Amino acid sequence: MIEIKLYKRPLKALKIFALTTPFVATGIWMINKEPVGTTNYIMGWFSTCFFGLGIPVGLFQLLDRRPQVIINENGIWDRTTKQDVIKWEQIESAYPLDIYKQKFVCLVLDETFEMKKNLYKWAAKLNEGIGAQKVNLMVSQLKIDEHKMTKFINEIVKTEKQNRQTIIKKYFDH
């Protein structure tokens, strides 16, 4: 059985480092330059501590080698959705969604799919308001285009189980 594993882009971690490092450096400079107790000294500590949190977050993003999405002939699993494997038979269709440059693939699921954990009412209303579904795959941090992923999902859900490996090979050739 073919199994495709999609991982996070390391570029996101590098962006976090690039955005936080100047603020941490400026904060350290302010701590060393300003007299103790002044507003600039306190702001230096605040800047260093607050933006310094980006360093462990960036390291985690960079060193996290767990697959984000696993695709096989039985279904698709996304670590961020906190759901079990979503079987291809349960997916009716998929469509892309862009929310402030964050790319998602929204899955329209049939009634046989049971949510492992239901959304809060406010989250369900928010999803409805922005045009999302109960289950949405975040693909902006993956090494795949959201339109390619949408086309793949819409094609594989219409394919018989014995032909799914061919579709997977077509879109994810090794």
Side-chain angles (χ1 to χ4, degrees):
M1 172 171 38
I2 296 175
E3 188 170 83
I4 304 299
K5 295 178 181 180
L6 301 175
Y7 297 91
K8 293 181 196 174
R9 295 181 195 179
L11 183 62
K12 182 178 180 180
L14 298 176
K15 283 182 184 178
I16 292 172
F17 284 129
L19 292 172
T20 59
T21 303
F23 292 104
V24 171
T26 303
I28 292 171
W29 177 76
M30 289 170 74
I31 291 168
N32 290 331
K33 184 178 184 278
E34 300 296 327
V36 175
T38 62
T39 304
N40 286 342
Y41 179 82
I42 294 169
M43 291 306 293
W45 272 107
F46 176 75
S47 175
T48 302
C49 294
F50 180 76
F51 291 104
L53 292 173
I55 294 170
V57 169
L59 279 174
F60 177 77
Q61 292 285 333
L62 187 64
L63 300 175
D64 184 18
R65 296 289 84 206
R66 297 176 295 174
Q68 193 74 17
V69 174
I70 298 176
I71 298 170
N72 60 33
E73 64 187 38
N74 297 323
I76 186 168
W77 176 80
D78 182 6
R79 187 169 45 139
T80 61
T81 61
K82 295 180 175 58
Q83 300 295 325
D84 293 329
V85 174
I86 302 167
K87 294 179 175 58
W88 297 122
E89 293 82 14
Q90 295 174 314
I91 300 174
E92 293 177 359
S93 65
Y95 59 91
L97 183 65
D98 186 333
I99 304 170
Y100 296 108
K101 297 186 182 179
Q102 296 295 312
K103 311 293 185 193
F104 294 89
V105 174
C106 302
L107 302 178
V108 179
L109 303 171
D110 65 11
E111 65 280 345
T112 63
F113 181 77
E114 291 186 32
M115 295 286 287
K116 198 173 181 181
K117 185 177 181 183
N118 287 328
L119 294 173
Y120 294 108
K121 288 181 182 180
W122 63 268
K125 285 183 181 180
L126 181 63
N127 274 353
E128 185 180 313
I130 60 174
Q133 296 292 318
K134 289 181 182 176
V135 178
N136 306 293
L137 309 175
M138 184 173 185
V139 295
S140 58
Q141 58 185 322
L142 299 177
K143 299 176 184 176
I144 191 166
D145 179 61
E146 74 274 12
H147 297 292
K148 179 181 177 182
M149 180 72 119
T150 302
K151 188 175 177 184
F152 163 73
I153 291 171
N154 284 328
E155 190 171 334
I156 201 165
V157 297
K158 297 173 186 169
T159 306
E160 295 296 322
K161 187 170 183 169
Q162 60 269 19
N163 299 328
R164 288 186 183 146
Q165 285 191 8
T166 309
I167 303 296
I168 293 172
K169 287 179 186 176
K170 175 181 164 185
Y171 283 90
F172 303 98
D173 47 19
H174 294 355

